[in-house]
Amino acid sequence: MTLPPRVVVLAAPSGGGKTTIARELVTRHPGLFGYSVSATTRKARPGERDGAAYHFLTQDEFLRRRDAGEFLEWAPYAGELYGTLRSEVERVLASGRHVVLDVEVQGARQVRKAYPRPASVVTFVIPPSPRVLIERLRKRRTETEAELSRRIDIAIREVETARRDIGDVYDSVLVNDDLDTAVREVIELVQGRDVSPHQPHDTANLLSAFVRQLRTEAAQLSQSTGRSR
Ligand code: ADP
Ligand code: 5GP
């Protein structure tokens, strides 16, 4: 590898596709990328193995390890705690590979601070439209309709946060339409080529439009699930 290994952060609203892209990067290029397995207090979904998808911890264990300074970053999300273990990041970097992190927006900001440019590359991933986001979440079948509605509410705040953080935290916004293209764009970004076709104000407009449409979709969802907002 010509460049020193970097910390590659994929942030996205739930359903954006960051886990899928991260998995593809590591599966297709195992000599180039390694995955940082996060810790979480949430319950494992069917098929998720402890130590592979996440390190599943109790709340007490998570807090103990947090207080011992074991996390590079951590954040609450939908009533659970999530965090990146320093040991995971260091393990992959020490092997000479780029380390891929899949985190929500508060975590992305913390990692950017800990690993300023060019040690990290931080990208915000969105699907082609809010409708596709919801369709992909539904198809994943990992949340109930009420949980899905909650994740959409969080997604609105996350996309708003990313819009404010463009340039400061994020190097690019990646529209995850075709998976192969998305994976290629991340690789090009990590290798130092700016693949974002958007200027900062275009990116801001893109995210503003996304939030507007997502609000409309969310209102329809909460009507159908009977949730009050
Ligand atoms: P996140 O980790 O951001 O919550 P996931 O990676 O779990 O998102 O993706 C959400 C769903 O969308 C998954 O079912 C995944 O298979 C699907 N998905 C992700 N990227 C694409 C894509 N480019 N085209 C079609 N489906 C996708
Ligand atoms: P999920 O429950 O869908 O696996 O993850 C919920 C959210 O937590 C997603 O946005 C995911 O990216 C984020 N997440 C996963 N691991 C971490 C982590 O280590 N740190 C932070 N800050 N967020 C994480």
Side-chain angles (χ1 to χ4, degrees), residues 41-95:
T41 60
R42 88 149 159 73
K43 298 248 175 311
R45 293 172 185 150
E48 283 185 333
R49 273 193 306 117
D50 189 22
Y54 281 103
H55 299 286
F56 293 100
L57 304 181
T58 62
Q59 178 100 359
D60 283 352
E61 180 66 0
F62 191 105
L63 295 177
R64 188 192 66 71
R65 295 179 73 166
R66 180 198 66 179
D67 294 345
E70 290 188 27
F71 289 113
L72 170 63
E73 63 74 34
W74 68 277
Y77 177 95
E80 304 290 351
L81 300 174
Y82 293 79
T84 304
L85 291 158
R86 291 182 194 281
S87 55
E88 286 284 325
V89 172
E90 283 158 13
R91 171 182 63 80
V92 179
L93 291 178
S95 72

